[in-house]
Amino acid sequence: MIRNGHGAAGGPGRPGPGGRRAVRVWCDGCYDMVHYGHSNQLRQARAMGDYLIVGVHTDEEISKHKGPPVFTQEERYRMVQAIKWVDEVVPAAPYVTTLETLDKYSCDFCVHGNDITLTVDGRDTYEEVKQAGRYRECKRTQGVSTTDLVGRMLLVTKAHHSSQEMSSEYREYADSFGKCPGGRNPWTGVSQFLQTSQKIIQFASGKEPQPGETVIYVTGAFDLFRILQDWDIGHVDFLEKVHGLAERPYVIAGLHFDQEVNHYKGKNYPIMNLHERTLSVLACRYVSEVVIGAPYAVTAELLDHFKVDLVCHGKTEIVPDKDGSDPYQEPKKRGIFRQIDSGNDLTTDLIVQRIIKNRLEYEARNQKKEAKELAFLEARRRQEVWPQREDDCDF
């Protein structure tokens, strides 16, 4: 059990607002390649109660029921723990959610998105808690899924994060990815995320720096944000260390435009577009504010505008700006530049290599998942139609 320790109501010995009994909420899942869709689910779940406990399945359980996860269980525990709406993480949570699990952690009910989660034999993993009336549903975030992100990484294209015309290779793969003989599955497959101001407001803290707080600025791509990196530094580990540099930190993350990221990273990066990366970073408990489309060079104007006290970067080589200048020249001149070593060497490239190495296995996993869901939907449809047929024949 991993507690985040920020004194939320509903924690050990803590009542809910107004002294009433705290409402404790349970969520569980694989949380593989944690993205803003996962974060949005947990945000909605947390809003239904006072204290959110999140169970994360083991590699063995996921492989048994769905296929191999991209991230290891320890990596996934770490990613979920960094989401700001999570109060507690339960490692090795059972794949099938039972009343025994809810009672063990004193949870009133569990929350899941309005999609389907099935066991290896096609059973609804939430059947027991649904029948007991201890199940709540939240809206699934349209436009993103782990399946989609894996598909993007399997493609050699620069078009998935912009409105550019797709290459023939991408179009062919996009047409087949997320489909099976029965047709396109409504919950998986390549799709595009549409950003709205309301979604940003829901994720943002809305708090400005207060007197006595130390304003710390970091900048980068933050692609596939969680424990991945754009400076060969783990995002979560890096930001946690940055956050710990001051007693009262206010961390601002500057996110580069897609074209800028593609310029200095090349290949098919960024995997996630700027709008997706914005929500992912806003969901991190160590970040207070995000600059959307930050300049590559940390300028005097930027430092003065945000009243920055400290600028941080990882230990890897700093890529020069397009004119050959040091993008950190100004903060270095002011004596407010600091390099941070998170000790994490997991990179976006390494994760992509993991997926490419196991491409056939991941594609088989996705097809298997979709086939099970279609079979489940068809069985449920027949159950709904059958009573009607009985009535029609009842004279």
Side-chain angles (χ1 to χ4, degrees):
M1 189 182 302
I2 306 167
R3 290 194 176 94
N4 278 325
H6 46 69
R14 293 181 180 272
R20 64 167 172 76
R21 187 184 71 82
V23 176
R24 291 165 64 89
V25 181
W26 172 271
C27 282
D28 56 30
C30 304
Y31 299 104
D32 194 20
M33 288 183 62
V34 173
H35 49 70
Y36 59 91
H38 293 122
S39 299
N40 194 38
Q41 179 226 358
L42 297 175
R43 179 191 65 80
Q44 294 178 77
R46 182 63 168 75
M48 296 182 190
D50 305 304
Y51 193 83
L52 178 61
I53 302 175
V54 181
V56 182
H57 309 317
T58 63
D59 298 341
E60 182 180 3
E61 282 283 272
I62 297 172
S63 296
K64 173 184 175 183
H65 293 281
K66 294 182 67 175
V70 178
F71 287 95
T72 68
Q73 59 198 43
E74 294 300 328
E75 291 167 347
R76 291 183 287 107
Y77 300 154
R78 186 83 179 92
M79 289 189 279
V80 173
Q81 188 183 7
I83 297 175
K84 64 184 178 183
W85 297 288
V86 176
D87 297 299
E88 191 174 317
V89 175
V90 175
Y95 197 80
V96 176
T97 308
T98 63
L99 295 175
E100 181 182 359
T101 298
L102 297 188
D103 292 340
K104 179 179 179 180
Y105 295 100
S106 303
C107 291
D108 295 85
F109 53 84
C110 77
V111 177
H112 187 67
N114 55 345
D115 54 343
I116 302 171
T117 303
L118 304 174
T119 61
V120 66
D121 55 0
R123 292 186 297 110
D124 184 349
T125 59
Y126 295 99
E127 182 178 357
E128 182 176 321
V129 292
K130 284 179 178 178
Q131 292 179 349
R134 294 174 68 180
Y135 175 85
R136 305 287 186 276
E137 215 164 69
C138 63
K139 292 182 180 179
R140 185 185 181 279
T141 304
Q142 296 299 319
V144 67
S145 68
T146 300
T147 304
D148 176 26
L149 293 178
V150 169
R152 297 186 201 183
M153 287 185 283
L154 291 175
L155 302 173
V156 183
T157 176
K158 296 182 180 181
H160 64 261
H161 57 78
S162 71
S163 59
Q164 301 171 25
E165 184 179 353
M166 291 189 293
S167 66
S168 57
E169 178 186 3
Y170 181 80
R171 190 175 299 280
E172 179 183 355
Y173 193 78
D175 286 343
S176 62
F177 193 80
K179 292 186 180 180
C180 60
R184 190 180 191 281
N185 184 281
W187 292 294
T188 58
V190 175
S191 54
Q192 293 296 317
F193 170 69
L194 298 177
Q195 181 69 284
T196 64
S197 58
Q198 181 61 30
K199 188 61 63 184
I200 293 177
I201 291 171
Q202 290 172 342
F203 273 58
S205 67
K207 297 178 181 178
E208 296 185 352
Q210 300 300 308
E213 290 185 330
T214 302
V215 178
I216 307 174
Y217 183 75
V218 297
T219 186
F222 292 95
D223 195 17
L224 287 176
F225 180 83
R226 278 294 164 248
I227 59 175
L228 299 184
Q229 56 74 58
D230 35 344
W231 314 291
D232 294 338
I233 291 289
H235 283 148
V236 169
D237 293 335
F238 172 77
L239 289 172
E240 183 180 23
K241 288 201 172 186
V242 167
H243 190 270
L245 293 176
E247 185 176 343
R248 296 178 57 198
Y250 187 94
V251 179
I252 301 175
L255 273 60
H256 299 149
F257 282 113
D258 297 334
Q259 292 81 0
E260 190 76 56
V261 177
N262 187 257
H263 173 75
Y264 64 77
K265 286 189 69 69
K267 300 179 183 177
N268 61 325
Y269 296 109
I271 302 298
M272 300 175 75
N273 67 42
L274 178 60
H275 299 308
E276 295 173 312
R277 292 183 282 123
T278 296
L279 293 186
S280 294
V281 176
L282 281 173
C284 179
R285 66 177 61 254
Y286 306 118
V287 175
S288 303
E289 180 63 286
V290 166
V291 178
I292 304 173
Y296 186 70
V298 183
T299 63
E301 291 77 14
L302 184 147
L303 296 176
D304 293 339
H305 177 79
F306 292 108
K307 298 180 174 59
V308 176
D309 299 299
L310 187 63
V311 176
C312 294
H313 181 80
K315 283 289 188 180
T316 54
E317 178 186 3
I318 297 173
V319 179
D321 204 348
K322 294 174 183 177
D323 61 1
S325 63
D326 183 350
Y328 291 100
Q329 180 178 339
E330 182 63 27
K332 286 179 178 179
K333 185 174 72 175
R334 298 189 184 194
I336 60 172
F337 178 79
R338 187 164 175 180
Q339 286 191 291
I340 304 296
D341 185 358
S342 73
N344 189 322
D345 60 358
L346 184 62
T347 69
T348 306
D349 284 333
L350 288 177
I351 296 302
V352 172
Q353 288 171 23
R354 286 186 193 179
I355 292 173
I356 291 175
K357 180 180 177 182
N358 299 291
R359 175 171 183 158
L360 294 178
E361 197 170 0
Y362 287 124
E363 289 179 342
R365 177 191 73 171
N366 294 332
Q367 294 294 336
K368 176 183 174 183
K369 176 175 182 284
E370 292 167 349
K372 283 199 304 180
E373 290 175 349
L374 285 170
F376 180 86
L377 287 172
E378 178 61 22
R380 188 166 67 180
R381 187 188 67 80
R382 288 178 178 177
Q383 287 177 348
E384 293 172 350
V385 171
W386 180 249
Q388 180 66 39
R389 290 177 176 174
E390 285 188 326
D391 292 341
D392 289 345
C393 297
D394 187 5
F395 296 103

